[in-house]
């Protein structure tokens, strides 16, 4: 890959520019649908953009006791990890930009990095509320991460590959086998809410208890970058689920596949908004309990099903 | 105004995040503020979101007549908000001390402690009045710079 092509990929498509635009669109869809579910008008279409610009123009405060370097670098690390993960996910056909055998695991690890930066951000802020949010986000990480990975494992096992593009190719040839992963899909959607720290699993940012959670001390530009990273994570997380659990229509014309990709991601975002409107926030121990007692057995069941089915799979 | 500052002003007007602070109100004003934040009144239409931490907020919505105990906290929370920031005084108490005016234990009005950009009178004001106050405050941001509705400087430090 030439330097120019690489720069284009990193900065424009499917890198920063595309992801940030799509992230803002996804945030808008999420908030608007949430508002419509509550029978109200909701924000205008430019709302996420206005929030972002406004935050860029605000004063940035760094607490005197905080480690200023860590405090400033963390939002960028979160964003970089999310953008990197995007390079391994097929967007316009069943090939990704940098795909290789085993990239599913790399994507999973890259998507864990934002959560770790949330933890470090809370810790580095040296504020009591932020520290509490940080500890909660780590506790939550141990609860949803295992079911999520087990659920993502199942389709990979069925296709006998660790590569997202090989998987996409396999499912394009055998589209009906997609249905074998439905249970895992449900588990993954619920666990993704935990990863994105959205209702019902927005315990680390519980505004009513610990003011702003991990982001309590963040303001201005740094908060803007963090929010953008979270929006991007929502898109990339949804794109990963779409690539793994909804790999249909990948053999079409690239433009059609791209439109289908957008539709799939927005569908998952809409599902998330529905979950947000339906449920209230759980307590942290209820969340851990739910993940280990209900999600985990469901994921195991899916794995068992997959192991049995892979005996007859082509 | 250059294009950049015009875009910035536009964004500020379209996305005011508020923090709600009770400085010793009888709670009726707070109930009206909370009512204004419910889906029925749909403040998100104007981009208004309630934030828990002063670091994220642009507008502080204050109620109550500032009891002497809370005066320092009010000042501290105001100072924790990043610039540019605005204060809306909600209720007769917050505007002038209301029924508590002149009591030995209150400072009689938010503007005796921190600068206030908009006043919403009423005891308590209806949610519509509060929304109107905040939206009018945002309107003044859009206009070319001129003195705010009424501002009284910071009280001398004790
Ligand atoms: S203005 Fe009236 S309702 Fe509001 S805090 Fe004062 S006494 Fe209570």
């Amino acid at each position: 890959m030439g330097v120019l092509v690489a720069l284009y990929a990193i900065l424009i498509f499917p890198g920063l520019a595309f992801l940030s635009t799509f992230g803002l669109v996804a945030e808008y869809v999420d908030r608007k649908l949430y508002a419509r579910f509550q029978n109200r008008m909701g924000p205008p279409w430019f709302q996420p953009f206005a929030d972002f610009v406004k935050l860029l123009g605000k004063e940035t405060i760094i607490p005197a006791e905080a480690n200023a370097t860590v405090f400033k670098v963390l939002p960028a690390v979160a964003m970089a990890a999310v953008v990197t993960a995007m390079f391994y996910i097929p967007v316009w056909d069943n090939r990704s930009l940098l795909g290789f055998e085993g990239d599913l695991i790399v994507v999973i690890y890259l998507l864990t990095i934002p959560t770790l930066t949330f933890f470090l951000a809370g810790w580095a802020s040296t504020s009591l509320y932020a520290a509490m949010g940080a500890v909660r986000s780590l506790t939550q990480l141990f609860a949803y991460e295992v079911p999520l990975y087990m659920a993502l494992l199942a389709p990979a096992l069925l296709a006998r590959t660790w590569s997202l593009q090989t998987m996409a190719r396999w499912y394009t040839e055998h589209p009906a086998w997609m249905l074998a992963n439905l249970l895992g899909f449900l588990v993954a959607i619920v666990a993704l809410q935990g990863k994105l720290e959205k209702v019902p699993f927005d315990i680390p940012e519980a505004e009513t208890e610990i003011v702003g959670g991990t982001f309590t001390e963040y303001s201005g530009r740094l908060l803007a970058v963090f929010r953008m990273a979270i929006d991007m994570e929502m898109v990339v997380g949804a794109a990963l689920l779409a690539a793994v659990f909804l790999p249909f229509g990948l053999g079409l014309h690239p433009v059609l596949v791209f439109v289908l990709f957008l539709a799939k991601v927005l569908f998952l975002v809409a599902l998330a908004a529905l979950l947000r409107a339906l449920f209230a926030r759980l307590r942290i121990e209820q969340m851990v309990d739910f993940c280990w007692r209900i999600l985990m057995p469901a994921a195991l069941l899916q794995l068992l099903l997959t192991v049995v089915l892979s005996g007859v799979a082509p | 105004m250059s294009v950049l500052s015009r875009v910035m002003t536009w964004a500020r007007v379209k996305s005011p995040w508020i923090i709600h602070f009770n400085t010793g109100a009888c709670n009726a004003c707070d109930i009206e503020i909370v009512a204004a934040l419910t889906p029925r009144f749909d403040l998100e239409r104007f981009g208004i979101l309630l934030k828990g931490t002063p670091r994220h907020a642009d507008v502080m919505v204050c109620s109550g007549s500032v009891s002497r105990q809370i005066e320092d906290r009010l000042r501290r929370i105001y100072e924790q908000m990043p610039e540019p920031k605005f204060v809306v005084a909600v209720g007769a108490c917050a505007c002038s001390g209301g029924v508590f005016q002149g009591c030995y234990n209150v400072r009689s009005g938010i503007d005796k402690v921190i600068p206030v950009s908009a006043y919403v009178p009423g005891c308590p004001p209806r949610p519509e009045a509060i929304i109107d106050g905040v939206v009018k405050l945002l309107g003044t941001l859009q206009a070319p710079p001129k003195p705010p509705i009424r501002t009284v400087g910071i009280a001398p430090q004790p």
Side-chain angles (χ1 to χ4, degrees):
Chain A
M1 218 167 24
V3 179
L4 270 182
V5 179
L7 270 184
Y8 177 79
I10 290 170
L11 294 179
I12 317 254
F13 182 87
L16 276 173
F18 167 71
L19 258 190
S20 50
T21 320
F22 196 28
L24 292 180
V25 171
E27 188 194 335
Y28 165 70
V29 169
D30 179 48
R31 281 169 69 173
K32 181 79 177 178
L33 280 176
Y34 183 58
R36 292 307 297 155
F37 287 137
Q38 293 184 334
N39 216 356
R40 57 192 174 95
M41 291 271 299
W45 61 269
F46 50 74
Q47 192 58 54
F49 179 66
D51 288 349
F52 183 68
V53 174
K54 179 207 72 178
L55 283 176
L56 284 186
K58 275 193 78 104
E59 186 191 2
T60 305
I61 299 174
I62 297 173
E65 284 180 28
N67 182 337
T69 323
V70 175
F71 196 79
K72 277 190 272 190
V73 162
L74 283 173
V77 172
M79 190 182 258
V82 174
V83 175
T84 314
M86 191 64 191
F87 295 147
Y88 299 101
I89 294 175
V91 176
W92 55 90
D93 61 9
N94 54 21
R95 271 172 309 134
S96 59
L97 205 61
L98 300 174
F100 61 92
E101 187 58 39
D103 52 7
L104 178 62
I105 298 172
V106 173
V107 170
I108 286 174
Y109 272 94
L110 281 172
L111 283 183
T112 310
I113 291 180
T115 315
L116 292 180
T117 64
F118 299 163
F119 165 72
L120 285 175
W123 201 255
S125 317
T126 61
S127 145
L128 186 62
Y129 296 119
M132 206 123 74
V135 171
R136 283 187 187 191
S137 75
L138 264 202
T139 315
Q140 187 164 309
L141 176 80
F142 289 119
Y144 66 73
E145 206 80 330
V146 179
L148 178 63
Y149 293 174
M150 302 269 269
L152 288 172
L153 228 162
L157 266 182
L158 201 59
R160 294 190 198 85
T161 170
W162 287 111
S163 142
L164 282 167
Q165 17 183 3
T166 324
M167 240 159 94
R169 222 167 291 139
W170 192 85
Y171 280 104
T172 316
E173 281 162 29
H174 316 282
W177 284 95
M178 211 171 76
L179 297 175
N181 305 318
L182 264 184
L183 183 61
F185 184 39
L186 291 181
V187 171
I189 288 177
V190 176
L192 189 69
Q193 300 303 305
K195 189 176 242 343
L196 300 174
E197 303 190 349
K198 296 222 175 257
V199 181
F201 301 143
D202 63 335
I203 309 158
E205 310 173 33
E207 283 180 352
T208 39
E209 307 156 27
I210 48 171
V211 292
T214 25
F215 305 122
T216 303
E217 292 292 339
Y218 272 86
S219 58
R221 228 165 283 168
L222 298 176
L223 181 64
V225 177
F226 248 138
R227 281 175 58 93
M228 184 59 95
I230 293 174
D231 283 349
M232 288 177 170
E233 198 191 357
M234 177 159 76
V235 168
V236 176
L240 177 65
L241 289 207
V244 172
F245 291 106
L246 304 170
F248 55 83
L250 290 174
L252 302 169
H253 189 269
V255 177
L256 271 180
V257 176
F258 181 60
V259 172
L260 208 59
F261 166 81
L262 297 184
K264 283 177 196 166
V265 170
L266 288 181
F267 166 70
L268 285 168
V269 170
L271 262 184
L274 183 66
L275 282 180
R276 198 149 81 90
L278 279 178
F279 294 103
R281 184 190 312 132
L282 299 175
R283 282 199 312 271
I284 184 80
E285 102 277 1
Q286 287 172 329
M287 190 269 176
V288 174
D289 202 70
F290 171 77
C291 282
W292 284 106
R293 289 237 185 107
I294 298 177
L295 276 192
M296 191 62 200
L300 275 177
L301 195 68
Q302 168 69 56
L303 267 188
L304 193 70
L305 194 74
T306 310
V307 170
V308 172
L309 279 179
S310 64
V312 282
Chain B
M1 272 201 285
S2 71
V3 177
L4 196 67
S5 72
R6 216 175 300 160
V7 169
M8 211 46 107
T9 315
W10 169 82
R12 257 170 217 154
V13 172
K14 292 299 177 197
S15 148
W17 291 354
I18 67 172
I19 178 167
H20 167 204
F21 189 52
N22 177 342
T23 65
C26 77
N27 236 306
C29 280
D30 304 294
I31 288 175
E32 298 302 317
I33 292 172
V34 172
L37 291 164
T38 53
R40 181 180 175 83
F41 292 97
D42 190 16
L43 276 187
E44 213 181 356
R45 276 177 300 162
F46 307 109
I48 298 177
L49 287 184
L50 180 68
K51 289 285 161 186
T53 151
R55 294 265 195 254
H56 298 185
D58 309 290
V59 180
M60 178 150 70
V61 177
C62 283
S63 59
S65 51
V66 195
S67 67
R68 296 217 175 240
Q69 278 219 328
I70 214 150
E71 189 188 335
D72 286 345
R73 278 100 175 163
L74 175 64
R75 199 174 286 128
R76 209 183 305 157
I77 288 193
Y78 181 71
E79 278 161 7
Q80 280 176 353
M81 285 167 64
E83 295 283 353
K85 53 192 169 189
F86 309 93
V87 178
V88 178
V90 172
C93 286
C95 294
S96 65
V99 288
F100 304 110
Q101 195 171 37
C103 276
Y104 69 94
N105 57 342
V106 298
R107 289 298 305 262
S108 302
I110 307 281
D111 54 12
K112 306 288 188 320
V113 184
I114 53 175
V116 173
S117 311
Y119 295 81
V120 182
C123 184
R126 296 178 62 88
E128 291 92 330
I130 300 173
I131 298 171
D132 190 46
V134 175
V135 172
K136 280 210 176 107
L137 164 73
L138 300 176
T140 60
L141 294 184
Q142 230 159 5
K146 65 177 177 196
I149 305 172
R150 196 184 100 191
T151 312
V152 180
I154 301 177
Q157 299 285 325

